[in-house]
Amino acid sequence: MPQIFPRSSNFVPLQIAIVLGVLTAGALGAFWYYWTPKYTRVGYQPAQPIPFSHKVHAGQLGLDCRYCHSFVETAAHSNIPTAQVCMSCHSQVQKDNPKLEPLRKAWATGEPVQWVQVHKTPDHAYFNHSVHVNRGVSCVSCHGRVDQMDVVYHAESHAMKFCLDCHRAPESGLRPLDKVTDLGWTATPKGKESAQQAQLDLGNELKKRRDVNPPVNNCAGCHR
Amino acid sequence: MLKASFGALIILAVVGVGLAGFRGDKMGHTPVEWFNDMAHQPKYEPQHRSDFFNDSRAARLPIPGTVPIGFNLPGRYFQTEGNNLVDGLGGFANQPDYFNTGRIGDVYGDGIPDVLTARGAELVVRGQQRYNIYCAVCHGAAGQGNGVVKSFGLATVRPLVDDLLRAQPDGQIFNTITHGKNTMGAYGPVVPVEDRWAIVAYVRALQTATGAKLADLPADEQKKLQEQK
């Protein structure tokens, strides 16, 4: 009686194991690449009910961030402006632009414009805007060059490592208080030192002067 | 067999990355979170929507006729711990006194309220900073009525340094910031009471500066200017 299975079939289980192994590694790799917190939200760029351009308002016109996000210095939450703030200008500027229809509707009825949240920290991390802004951490550190974005996207990762990198070395981001909303600002190098070194020198000085001591080993500092 | 499988896997990886793009690419869809680890909790966050209330706002307006804890209603429900008169950002600002309205009775008062004058030059510096955020956009950094928005269709911007505004009492300027006037919107909901007074102080400083003569300057500043000539 001839053999049903050829001799090479002895290796089939091994081949299956190898292929399954590679497949698993590939799946894990894909998960690590796309879905670990470091990159989950990066690049998120939702369409908004009104195509509001930060590039025009913050970049071209030079509006201070706090003109609209007016309570960022006193509140944990950086507020999205009400229709009232928009209407300060848009009651006259571009007042017939069809793109602004949701705004005019909100102004007439009191129903808020349904803006889509772009940046988000997990609900178990209690990020406080005011405490950062008042110590000289710039908006740009976490939100990127919003003044150059036509449509805002999530530029930085906001994963826990991202927070800790700065909490462990706050000198890398501290700047003078009047430059916090100046997104393009960089420390001026003295003599031949690099821009990075200039930032560290200034940051270390400000850290000492303002007694900056962010929670590093204390979980309850951010996770209450 | 093995070779064919690897070939298929490589094709799968290339197609996968090709369809999904590299990580960090711009995407319009909501991020996919496999394990969201309580990142989204069923609690209301500031300015978020609620499906429970009819107007879908999680933030509620005070019910008409109610008094916030710590708020003194004039003549009624007097609470000794009331904080609405305290000079602080936490204070409620609708007490009908000069500090909160700029009016004494029915007329506009003049002068910066006593609780703020103790801050001296710091108040003006604060005013300058706030002015540059909220006012300079239209009124211009020097109050000439030539801010950047003017070139975008805001036709009527009032200069702040002309005789009419010089003659206005402080309380009236405060009232204009709070409620707006003509084409100007109300800034009361955005700028706290103390900061509105600080802006008034800075507008006065601008008016003084634009009308200044050489003799008004301290001697050493006069000398510096003359040397520049």
Side-chain angles (χ1 to χ4, degrees):
Chain A
M1 183 178 158
Q3 306 286 341
I4 297 173
F5 296 106
R7 198 175 175 76
S8 65
S9 57
N10 283 343
F11 296 100
V12 166
L14 187 66
Q15 285 177 340
I16 290 175
I18 290 173
V19 169
L20 278 183
V22 172
L23 209 63
T24 312
L28 285 175
F31 183 82
W32 164 80
Y33 189 72
Y34 286 118
W35 289 295
T36 37
K38 193 178 174 194
Y39 272 96
T40 312
R41 289 187 76 87
V42 176
Y44 180 40
Q45 189 178 37
Q48 301 287 352
I50 301 171
F52 176 86
S53 168
H54 276 81
K55 189 179 176 182
V56 169
H57 290 82
Q60 192 186 350
L61 295 181
L63 286 183
D64 193 283
C65 307
R66 292 164 291 183
Y67 184 91
C68 302
H69 306 290
S70 44
F71 302 121
V72 68
E73 290 169 307
T74 48
H77 171 66
S78 175
N79 59 305
I80 304 302
T82 58
Q84 156 126 29
V85 172
C86 310
M87 289 306 271
S88 296
C89 295
H90 287 293
S91 59
Q92 297 159 71
V93 181
Q94 305 262 330
K95 67 174 179 181
D96 299 318
N97 191 328
K99 289 179 188 166
L100 292 179
E101 191 50 44
L103 172 66
R104 286 191 292 271
K105 191 171 155 245
W107 183 238
T109 62
E111 290 285 317
V113 180
Q114 301 279 345
W115 299 103
V116 183
Q117 181 176 21
V118 182
H119 292 85
K120 172 158 178 62
T121 42
D123 282 356
H124 48 73
Y126 289 77
F127 180 83
N128 187 319
H129 276 86
S130 69
V131 80
H132 290 85
V133 169
N134 290 328
R135 299 283 187 298
V137 179
S138 170
C139 317
V140 76
S141 299
C142 305
H143 295 286
R145 288 303 299 271
V146 172
D147 61 330
Q148 294 174 353
M149 299 179 192
D150 259 326
V151 184
V152 169
Y153 57 88
H154 209 305
E156 302 287 351
S157 86
H158 292 201
M160 186 162 147
K161 181 180 185 295
F162 177 77
C163 301
L164 279 178
D165 282 348
C166 197
H167 272 217
R168 289 187 176 126
E171 60 272 11
S172 60
L174 293 181
R175 44 169 85 187
L177 290 181
D178 58 339
K179 303 293 181 207
V180 166
T181 57
D182 184 352
L183 303 189
W185 182 88
T186 48
T188 321
K190 291 186 203 94
K192 280 183 191 164
E193 68 179 356
S194 66
Q196 205 182 0
Q197 190 56 42
Q199 171 60 50
L200 291 180
D201 288 350
L202 178 75
N204 273 316
E205 191 202 318
L206 292 175
K207 181 173 138 187
K208 211 178 286 171
R209 201 195 310 158
R210 294 184 194 144
D211 198 17
V212 174
N213 185 21
V216 173
N217 297 320
N218 173 8
C219 311
C222 310
H223 304 291
R224 292 187 257 127
Chain B
M1 213 318 252
L2 201 58
K3 264 187 196 164
S5 306
F6 278 132
L9 280 179
I10 289 170
I11 291 169
L12 190 73
V14 170
V15 170
V17 174
L19 284 179
F22 296 109
R23 65 180 182 185
D25 279 354
K26 311 272 172 63
M27 54 182 180
H29 63 81
T30 319
V32 180
E33 288 163 337
W34 288 57
F35 305 108
N36 63 33
D37 295 334
M38 295 174 77
H40 304 277
Q41 298 169 7
K43 64 180 181 186
Y44 289 140
E45 287 171 69
Q47 295 190 309
H48 277 227
R49 66 173 288 131
S50 156
D51 294 324
F52 181 77
F53 296 106
N54 264 345
D55 62 0
S56 11
R57 288 172 213 237
R60 310 305 305 157
L61 291 166
I63 297 163
T66 54
V67 181
I69 291 174
F71 178 73
N72 290 335
L73 210 59
R76 301 164 69 194
Y77 309 117
F78 188 76
Q79 294 158 305
T80 45
E81 298 291 310
N83 69 350
N84 49 319
L85 291 176
V86 175
D87 170 25
L89 295 171
F92 255 79
N94 43 2
Q95 187 83 345
D97 58 352
Y98 178 60
F99 177 66
N100 287 305
T101 62
R103 292 168 194 263
I104 303 169
D106 286 337
V107 291
Y108 292 116
D110 201 17
I112 303 293
D114 292 342
V115 283
L116 296 175
T117 43
R119 283 166 65 182
E122 186 268 323
L123 184 75
V124 186
V125 172
R126 172 81 180 171
Q128 177 181 31
Q129 191 211 25
R130 296 291 118 174
Y131 178 92
N132 287 336
I133 296 172
Y134 297 107
C135 317
V137 188
C138 295
H139 291 289
Q144 308 280 0
N146 58 353
V148 63
V149 178
K150 198 168 181 189
S151 55
F152 286 82
L154 211 67
T156 51
V157 181
R158 188 109 189 65
L160 300 178
V161 291
D162 62 1
D163 288 340
L164 190 89
L165 252 87
R166 276 171 213 270
Q168 274 188 5
D170 292 341
Q172 190 173 358
I173 299 178
F174 177 88
N175 184 67
T176 304
I177 300 173
T178 310
H179 299 294
K181 196 173 187 178
N182 299 334
T183 52
M184 171 176 159
Y187 282 76
V190 178
V191 188
V193 175
E194 292 81 9
D195 287 345
R196 273 176 255 159
W197 284 113
I199 290 171
V200 172
Y202 183 64
V203 169
R204 290 292 184 226
L206 284 179
Q207 292 173 348
T208 311
T210 40
K213 305 205 168 47
L214 192 61
D216 296 339
L217 291 173
D220 51 332
E221 293 288 334
Q222 284 189 29
K223 209 173 152 193
K224 263 192 221 162
L225 272 179
Q226 271 157 352
E227 276 165 10
Q228 279 179 14
K229 280 183 191 170

